[in-house]
Amino acid sequence: MENLGFTAIPAITVICYLVAQIVKATALDNKWLPIICGICGGVLGVAAMYIMPDFAATDSITAAAIGIVSGLAATGVHQAAKQLGGGCNGN
């Protein structure tokens, strides 16, 4: 099980995507979703650094940066899929 820490990076993206879908179901404006995903990703990145011994980062700042980028990737993946799918209904 060498380099298992890299599996946490897509996992952070998936978790942040699910958090965004939950937030979308509330009355909160969708313009806050990238910020929520970024913060959620940063927190998960730092948590993963302490929980997973093989995580890709060895310090808190790098772990937070990896998490933030992973969280923001969740909104990017959603937007790319929406644009490629031709769905332009404002969701």
Side-chain angles (χ1 to χ4, degrees), residues 24-37:
K24 279 179 79 170
T26 66
L28 190 65
D29 193 5
N30 287 346
K31 71 179 182 180
W32 298 107
L33 289 178
I35 295 170
I36 292 169
C37 284

Side-chain angles (χ1 to χ4, degrees), residues 4 18 23 30 32 37 42 53 66 69 71-72 76 83 89 91:
L4 187 61
L18 293 174
V23 171
N30 287 346
W32 298 107
C37 284
I66 290 172
V69 170
L72 292 175
Q83 296 296 322
N89 59 0
N91 290 332

Side-chain angles (χ1 to χ4, degrees), residues 1-81:
M1 288 217 263
E2 190 173 310
N3 221 357
L4 187 61
F6 281 111
T7 58
I9 296 171
I12 291 171
T13 304
V14 170
I15 292 169
C16 290
Y17 178 78
L18 293 174
V19 168
Q21 293 302 312
I22 292 169
V23 171
K24 279 179 79 170
T26 66
L28 190 65
D29 193 5
N30 287 346
K31 71 179 182 180
W32 298 107
L33 289 178
I35 295 170
I36 292 169
C37 284
I39 292 170
C40 179
V43 169
L44 288 171
V46 173
M49 182 191 72
Y50 289 110
I51 294 170
M52 299 180 69
D54 292 336
F55 189 63
T58 56
D59 61 298
S60 298
I61 293 174
T62 305
I66 290 172
I68 290 168
V69 170
S70 299
L72 292 175
T75 58
V77 168
H78 178 263
Q79 287 299 313

